[in-house]
Each structure stands twice: as C-alpha cells, then as structure tokens.
Amino acid sequence: MAFGSFLFVFLLVFFAVQSVFAAETVKVGLNADILRDYRSFVKNRDPLKITKFGGPYSRRDVVEVVLFMQALSRGKFQGVVELVPLPSTGRILEQVRLGKVTALANSVWSESLADGDVYKTKPLIHDGEFVVGIYTRPENAKLLKAKFPEDFVKFSAVTSPEWHPDVKALKGLQVGHVFEVSQWELMVKMVSSGRVDFTLAPFRNSQDKRFTDGSAVFVPVRNYKVNLKGTRHWVSSKKHPAGLQMHEILEKGRQILAQEGTIRRAYRESGFFQDDIADWKLLNP
C-alpha cells in the first residue's frame, strides 16, 4: 500500500473513532442507588466544578462518579455521557463485558472482570486501602458490645456474591452465617429488620460514622475495622467500539487528578479515608 493510501485509511479510522464521541451519546453504567444519591449530591451543580466532596449524600461510590466526570473532562473527552442505572453489580459487570455500556462510572475490584474483557486504568484504590466497618442497626446491643474476632461465630452477615473481597473477608473471619444477595437495597433491609446482624460498609464522614438508607439508621461497631484486599479500577469494555478511546481518556484524566491530589482528597472528604480510625483494631491484617 502506498504511503498516501495508508495515511488516508489511517485518517479515516481516526476520524471515525473521534466521531463516536463527537456525535453519539456514550452509555456508562452504575448501580441505581448510586445514581440516585449522585443526583442528590450534585443537585444543580456542575460536577466538573465541584471541589468539596463532603456533605449530604457523600460517600465513596458517589464521589467516584464525580471523579469519573472530572477525569473525562481532564482527558479531553468531547462527547455526552448517559448514566445508565442497573439493579446489581452482577448486571453491571455483564453489561460492560458484553459491550452494552462503554464503561463503568464506579471503580471495580481488579478480579471482578477478566483482562480479556476490559481495559483497566491504574488503581484508584490500592491494595490495603479499602478499610470498612462492621455496620448494624443501633438496637443490636449484643453485636455492638461483642468482642472480635472470637465472637464472629455468634453472628450473621450479608454481602453480594459479586463482592469477592467481602465474601473472602467474612469467611476468613469465620462469621457464623454469611447470606449472599445481589442488591444493596435488600442487604440493608435484612440488617435493619434484624434478619441479619451486620454488613461490611465503608466508613462515612457523619456523626458517629453512621449512615442512613431511607428511614433506617446504621452504625459501626466501634474500635474494629476490616481490610478488603485488592485494587480497584475504572474499566472500559473491549467489546465496545469506543472502549479503547474511553480507557485512554480516563487514564489520562485519572493521572492528572491523582497528581493534583484530588482523588485522595475526595476519598478523605467523603469519609472513606479516616485518620481517627488508625488505632481501631484491624481484624484481618
């Protein structure tokens, strides 16, 4: 092939890929409950201009969506993002694997999707950084006064079968019974109703580190924490025609935000990183 013909073909491909973002809406998946809280957190603000990541509805999942939008902007993304709510982590992972959505707005565990299915950015959360609390309803006095790790066998927990590090941690701690359900809404209902004793959840920046879901209140067992092992990444689908370009833009934006300290600050202001739990006992070091 002559050089001129090669250059013409290259430019055709280049501009065709560019037009995916310039002319089309790019679908990005996330859990329905996260999208609900993201909208409540952002309200009428431009997510690209948000510099304070605390306040009502702030949590790790929510600020990651804000960071995702900012990473796209810093990576020079020119298209339109449509946030697609999906009912469970399993459904989300399936949609990105099949190329039904271009990418995920939240980070996922590295082991959740095979490298052959997705492009992964460098970690947003590194191994050893994902520290969570043992969350229960305030009325569960028996659990709140328990001694761990020896008392785990007396209690039950609930998690998602797609949250592999959570499942591994709970089984490694020898919890008496571990229920597995796909949806977060069902998990919190099981805990709030007393059917299950607790679930593992990231700490919050609220009073006593508590959080609410609807009318239900959840508090952590004080002085104890659990490490969920692994790294978390933004992922883009290899099956989607725009997946590679989305990955490159996200990684460029992630690098800029990381160098500026924005990612760590967002995690800290949302309560995900907390200095005052440094002396809490790590139950699975």
Side-chain angles (χ1 to χ4, degrees), residues 39-78:
R39 287 170 172 164
S40 297
F41 174 73
V42 172
K43 292 185 178 178
N44 297 320
R45 296 181 292 173
D46 180 349
L48 304 184
K49 296 180 180 179
I50 290 177
T51 58
K52 302 295 183 182
F53 296 91
Y57 299 100
S58 175
R59 54 187 170 106
R60 176 193 63 81
D61 317 76
V62 168
V63 299
E64 278 187 353
V65 183
V66 178
L67 292 172
F68 179 89
M69 295 299 191
Q70 293 187 0
L72 288 181
S73 176
R74 302 303 289 275
K76 305 302 182 184
F77 174 73
Q78 300 295 323

Side-chain angles (χ1 to χ4, degrees), residues 109 123-130 227-232:
W109 294 108
L124 278 80
I125 300 173
H126 296 80
D127 194 24
E129 291 184 332
F130 205 108
N227 179 23
L228 303 184
K229 303 182 187 301
T231 58
R232 291 182 68 95

